[in-house]
Each structure stands twice: as C-alpha cells, then as structure tokens.
Amino acid sequence: MAELPPITVSSLDLERLYSLLGKLPAENFASAVALENELMRANILEADQMPPDVVTMRSVVRFVIDPSGKEFELVLCYPDEMDDNPNKVSILAPIGAAILGLSVGQEIEWPAPAGGNVSVRIVAVTWQPERVGMLSL
C-alpha cells in the first residue's frame, strides 16, 4: 500500500467521531479500527479554520475510484443519518473512512470490500457545512 496522504479533521468532527467510536457494538470492530487509525494521524483544526476543499463530516464530495474510473458524489454521514438515500455514505463504510479529511486532488489507496485495493481521488468538495453562514471574501 502506498504512503498515506496527510488529512485534516475539524476538532468538532474529531470529538463527535470519538464519541461514536465509544458507542459502537463489537460487530463494527473493523470499521472502528480503520476510522480510529485515520483520526490518530489527522491534523486537527477548529471548524472555522477548515479549508473549503477538505472533506468534513456532512460534506458533499465528488470522487473517482480507480481502477474503474467511476465517479461518485456523496454526502459523508454519521451512521444514524443513513437512510434510503443512495447519495449518502457512512463514515463507517470503508470509502467513508477513506475520504474523511482529504482535500481536492489528494488520493488514497484503500482496501476494497471484495479484496485488493482501490484508489480514491477527491475531485471536488461541492458543499461543506463549515462554510455555511461564513462570508466569502
């Protein structure tokens, strides 16, 4: 596996995600370990300091998965926010943990559900909750 790219997570997301990890049942162990490993290596910023091109919780993010070249635009959600909307991905899904904290242009290799690895590249963060209500210069 290639070297992991640097990631940035807001202090608010970090606090909420560690709270989530503390409540997960044993059957979520593998997802919890993957997410915790990502959080432990993250650069932490206050929510109002987050760059607009970083994937945060509840961001709408467009990304490409290689080798298939398929492009997706999904909302990164907490597990309790998941519903029948196909445009959402849980932070506990492998791809959810993979994209958290990445910025536009970054790429990460991640274990594929069917085995092997896939490469995930961030194309755009089309909406980020940290930017709502903030004036753009």
Side-chain angles (χ1 to χ4, degrees):
M1 204 185 240
E3 185 176 328
L4 296 172
I7 61 172
T8 304
V9 174
S10 78
S11 57
L12 181 60
D13 284 350
L14 184 75
E15 182 180 317
R16 289 177 176 167
L17 290 168
Y18 271 122
S19 176
L20 169 68
L21 288 171
K23 299 173 188 170
L24 287 178
E27 62 263 19
N28 290 105
F29 181 75
S31 298
V33 168
L35 178 56
E36 188 166 19
N37 286 341
E38 288 298 280
L39 295 176
M40 289 184 348
R41 69 184 195 83
N43 175 37
I44 309 302
L45 292 178
E46 293 302 315
D48 63 355
Q49 300 299 311
M50 289 299 291
D53 66 341
V54 172
V55 179
T56 62
M57 292 303 300
R58 300 184 177 122
S59 287
V60 179
V61 58
R62 194 164 59 238
F63 57 93
V64 174
I65 295 180
D66 289 322
S68 72
K70 288 187 179 180
E71 187 169 304
F72 299 88
E73 186 169 74
L74 300 173
V75 180
L76 182 59
C77 296
Y78 292 95
D80 65 346
E81 297 169 340
M82 294 299 295
D83 51 30
D84 292 334
N85 184 338
N87 298 318
K88 290 183 176 181
V89 62
S90 171
I91 187 64
L92 296 179
I95 193 69
I99 64 175
L100 177 70
L102 292 177
S103 58
V104 173
Q106 282 187 306
E107 194 170 320
I108 189 170
E109 274 190 36
W110 205 255
N117 289 327
V118 295
S119 178
V120 181
R121 182 174 37 87
I122 305 301
V123 176
V125 176
T126 57
W127 189 83
Q128 183 196 68
E130 287 78 6
R131 301 279 65 114
V132 175
M134 294 185 187
L135 297 176
S136 55
L137 300 175

